[in-house]
């Protein structure tokens, strides 16, 4: 009888979850306080009428200046001033929240799927409406299971590859 094989994926920190190379940076095009309507409430997973801070940004590769993503980042309002920090465009927002506010990520949810670009996303990515995109939604929770950041990231076709390696737990 053959022993069943299990594959294990380990993350040592949230930065391991679909992080970007350090040769990329964000350019914030939108910074605003928002109250969630029904649609945004459902997408984020927070109450209708709750207050969040929205950052809409493109991510570029440093040398080529090529746009590799559009991201809508929603954080709790008390973290809004992070956008004024000198390293804001180079560091993941959740890392800034951890460092500046002492929040630690207890749990992260990640959804990955394909979709056709909406007119707004297409405009930011400089592609055609309905062109294929890789969409990644990340939700970050603290040790009280409170949601404090949600990101919706859209990568145009052929601009981003996510690679994973799985290792068997069997030894030879």
């Amino acid at each position: 009888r053959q022993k069943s094989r299990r594959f294990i994926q380990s993350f040592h920190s949230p930065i391991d979850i679909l992080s970007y190379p350090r040769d990329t940076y964000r350019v914030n095009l939108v910074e605003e306080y928002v109250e969630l309507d029904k649609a945004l409430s459902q997408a984020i997973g927070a109450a209708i009428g709750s207050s969040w801070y929205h950052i809409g940004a493109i991510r570029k590769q440093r040398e080529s200046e090529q746009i590799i993503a559009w991201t809508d980042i929603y954080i709790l309002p008390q973290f809004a001033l992070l956008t004024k920090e000198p390293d804001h465009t180079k560091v993941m927002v959740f890392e800034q929240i951890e460092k500046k506010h002492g929040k630690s990520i207890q749990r992260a949810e990640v959804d990955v799927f394909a979709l056709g670009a909406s007119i707004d996303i297409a405009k930011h990515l400089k592609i055609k409406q309905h062109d294929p995109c890789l969409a990644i939604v990340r939700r970050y929770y603290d040790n009280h299971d409170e949601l404090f950041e949600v990101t919706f990231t859209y990568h145009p076709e052929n601009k981003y590859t996510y690679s994973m390696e799985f290792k068997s737990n069997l030894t030879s």
Side-chain angles (χ1 to χ4, degrees), residues 70-172:
W70 170 260
T71 303
D72 286 301
I73 303 166
Y74 293 89
I75 56 178
L76 293 177
Q78 63 261 35
F79 306 131
L81 290 178
L82 290 176
T83 60
K84 307 303 179 220
E85 295 290 327
D87 63 346
H88 174 69
T89 62
K90 300 175 201 124
V91 179
M92 299 289 278
V93 173
F94 74 82
E95 287 181 280
Q96 292 178 290
I97 292 171
E98 285 187 314
K99 183 178 175 184
K100 305 277 184 197
H101 295 276
K103 279 264 192 212
S104 62
I105 296 171
Q106 184 64 36
R107 181 168 68 93
E109 298 173 349
V110 180
D111 297 318
V112 180
F113 53 94
L115 57 74
S118 70
I119 194 159
D120 290 334
I121 292 166
K123 181 181 75 173
H124 292 300
L125 294 176
K126 299 187 184 331
I127 60 175
K128 294 180 184 152
Q129 184 179 4
H130 305 297
D131 276 0
C133 286
L134 177 67
I136 303 169
V137 180
R138 299 176 187 87
R139 290 181 177 85
Y140 298 102
Y141 297 84
D142 67 13
N143 57 348
H144 301 291
D145 210 35
E146 179 184 16
L147 181 66
F148 66 89
E149 179 182 344
V150 179
T151 65
F152 301 91
T153 304
Y154 307 93
H155 296 278
E157 183 180 27
N158 298 321
K159 301 284 183 176
Y160 180 77
T161 300
Y162 177 62
S163 299
M164 288 190 287
E165 178 182 82
F166 293 95
K167 294 184 179 181
S168 172
N169 68 340
L170 293 179
T171 55
S172 10

